[in-house]
């Protein structure tokens, strides 16, 4: 479960060009939900997702499975990410000169708990339907295939949460539908999915919709 209380994010704090990106955010996300975070560009959606992913600092309270994130050191946050969290980005954030297998392997270099690393990579690739591409370099792949690699990488540590930032933003409609279907299938297997999206069709498929405007939550609706 995710619980956030009076969360603020300020960039360039104390300076003339200070930006208050998030203002007193309060929200709760239950286990196994699918959640859409919607709003215009610059509203604070990605900032909130990055905070929930434990890759950005903040003021306020954030509890992930009753763990007080603001009290964790950077090394403990890193361990938490490698054990509980998978992250999928719009631009894929893959290493083009690495193979599919090598890209999916990268989170496991920091995970001492998973002993069968090669087996974990292959299981993730099979779940996303790209095991046959394991030896291809990422630079040779289509956009949809790259996003499947990114999802495989997010899955390889068997996370409880996947945070996806515009996962279909650079994909055609057919490939977008395939990626969203895949994320919802992962949710049916017990993973909590949080998606930043501009696509209202995707948002309306989710259990929970959070709308942000100018750093404030203006709607928080659960179906």
């Amino acid at each position: 479960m995710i619980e956030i209380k009076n969360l603020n994010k300020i960039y360039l704090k104390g300076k003339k060009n200070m930006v208050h990106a998030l203002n007193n955010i309060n929200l709760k996300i239950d286990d196994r939900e699918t959640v859409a975070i919607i709003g215009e560009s610059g509203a604070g959606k990605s900032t909130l997702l990055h905070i929930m992913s434990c890759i950005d600092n903040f003021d306020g309270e954030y509890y992930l499975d009753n763990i007080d994130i603001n009290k964790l050191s950077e090394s403990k946050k890193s361990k938490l990410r490698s054990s509980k969290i998978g992250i999928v980005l719009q631009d894929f954030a893959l290493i083009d000169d690495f193979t599919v297998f090598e890209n999916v392997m990268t989170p496991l270099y920091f995970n001492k708990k998973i002993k069968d690393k090669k087996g974990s990579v292959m299981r993730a690739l099979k779940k996303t339907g790209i095991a046959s591409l394991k030896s291809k370099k990422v630079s040779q792949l289509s956009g949809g295939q790259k996003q499947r690699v990114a999802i495989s990488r997010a899955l390889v540590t068997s996370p409880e949460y996947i945070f996806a930032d515009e996962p279909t933003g650079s994909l055609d409609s057919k490939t977008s539908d395939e990626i969203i279907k895949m994320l919802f299938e992962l949710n049916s297997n017990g993973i909590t999915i949080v998606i930043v999206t501009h696509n209202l069709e995707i948002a309306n498929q989710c259990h929970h919709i959070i709308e942000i405007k100018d750093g404030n939550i203006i709607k928080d609706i659960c179906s």
Side-chain angles (χ1 to χ4, degrees):
M1 185 177 75
I2 288 171
E3 190 168 9
I4 287 174
K5 300 177 182 177
N6 301 316
L7 184 146
N8 289 270
K9 177 63 181 179
I10 301 172
Y11 293 104
L12 304 171
K13 197 171 185 177
K15 297 187 177 180
K16 289 182 179 180
N17 53 346
M18 179 175 75
V19 177
H20 207 140
L22 294 172
N23 302 293
N24 294 318
I25 298 293
N26 292 276
L27 64 87
K28 190 174 179 180
I29 295 171
D30 291 328
D31 291 339
R32 301 189 174 194
E33 279 193 323
T34 51
V35 183
I37 302 176
I38 63 172
E40 296 178 358
S41 296
K45 306 182 301 298
S46 293
T47 299
L48 179 58
L49 194 84
H50 292 166
I51 288 170
M52 288 195 284
S53 306
C54 298
I55 58 177
D56 208 349
N57 296 322
F58 60 93
D59 296 312
E61 298 177 67
Y62 170 28
Y63 299 91
L64 181 71
D65 293 342
N66 296 314
I67 300 166
D68 187 344
I69 301 303
N70 230 358
K71 290 185 178 177
L72 296 182
S73 65
E74 288 304 317
S75 63
K76 287 184 177 178
K77 281 185 192 177
S78 179
K79 287 180 182 177
L80 183 71
R81 283 194 301 270
S82 69
S83 62
K84 284 183 176 286
I85 293 170
I87 303 168
V88 180
L89 301 173
Q90 180 180 354
D91 63 357
F92 317 126
L94 301 172
I95 303 170
D96 281 349
D97 289 336
F98 278 21
T99 64
V100 168
F101 188 95
E102 289 166 338
N103 269 278
V104 177
M105 176 68 85
T106 51
L108 298 181
Y109 295 131
F110 309 101
N111 191 311
K112 294 179 181 178
K113 290 184 179 179
I114 296 176
K115 303 303 180 186
D116 181 14
K117 291 180 168 47
K118 290 183 179 179
S120 296
V121 171
M122 289 311 300
R123 284 189 288 275
L125 293 174
K126 285 174 183 175
K127 280 183 184 177
T128 57
I130 55 170
S132 62
L133 301 178
K134 66 179 182 179
S135 299
K136 275 203 166 188
K137 285 193 174 182
V138 163
S139 58
Q140 298 173 310
L141 303 181
S142 68
Q145 289 170 333
K146 287 179 180 179
Q147 196 60 291
R148 286 174 184 265
V149 177
I151 293 171
S152 301
R153 185 185 55 193
L155 280 176
V156 75
T157 57
S158 300
E160 296 169 39
Y161 300 86
I162 288 182
F163 298 101
D165 193 356
E166 293 283 1
T168 63
S170 57
L171 305 177
D172 62 73
S173 59
K174 181 178 181 293
T175 308
S176 295
D177 289 344
E178 291 172 356
I179 295 299
I180 291 301
K181 182 180 178 183
M182 186 183 304
L183 289 172
F184 276 87
E185 284 173 356
L186 295 172
N187 173 253
S188 69
N189 291 326
I191 299 176
T192 303
I193 307 287
V194 182
I195 305 171
V196 165
T197 184
H198 283 97
N199 189 323
L200 293 181
E201 287 185 16
I202 293 171
N204 288 330
Q205 295 177 60
C206 294
H207 304 125
H208 189 166
I209 299 175
I210 297 164
E211 184 173 359
I212 299 181
K213 184 176 182 179
D214 299 328
N216 299 283
I217 291 179
I218 58 171
K219 287 182 185 176
D220 189 346
I221 304 166
C222 295
S223 58

